[in-house]
Amino acid sequence: MNPFRVWIRPLGTTCRVRVEGLKNARWLLDRLGQSFVFKTSEALDEGHDSPCCTFQISYSSQTPRSAFEKLLVAIPEVKLMSEPA
């Protein structure tokens, strides 16, 4: 799989995640579900005029923001971007 861009925007107890491409977003959600405590997320939202998809994931005491960011950085296919989602 080719690397793809991911943007995150913390929103209190949740995080908005924007992923380059629907296929990549589905793959990332599956990967997060396998390797992390995130078993559910808000539904994927495909931008009508955008090549990106967004979803939200809730933080928990077991999976704080810092742990989520470290997990994303550790995935070779993810290119975490500094711009907000």
Side-chain angles (χ1 to χ4, degrees):
M1 174 171 254
N2 292 328
F4 55 89
R5 294 180 292 180
V6 174
W7 297 262
I8 58 173
R9 176 181 284 175
L11 301 168
T13 60
T14 64
C15 180
R16 181 179 304 140
V17 181
R18 183 170 55 141
V19 181
E20 187 175 45
L22 177 60
K23 182 178 176 182
N24 295 332
R26 288 182 177 154
W27 180 89
L28 181 59
L29 278 171
D30 184 55
R31 175 82 182 256
L32 292 173
Q34 291 175 7
S35 63
F36 216 53
V37 185
F38 298 115
K39 296 298 180 192
T40 61
S41 71
E42 185 178 296
L44 284 173
D45 178 27
E46 297 178 62
H48 290 69
D49 296 330
S50 171
C52 295
C53 294
T54 60
F55 56 89
Q56 287 190 23
I57 291 181
S58 296
Y59 298 127
S60 72
S61 59
Q62 295 176 330
T63 56
R65 176 182 167 187
S66 60
F68 179 57
E69 289 178 10
K70 286 178 185 177
L71 177 66
L72 288 175
V73 169
I75 299 172
E77 293 84 357
V78 170
K79 183 177 179 183
L80 191 59
M81 306 303 289
S82 59
E83 294 181 28

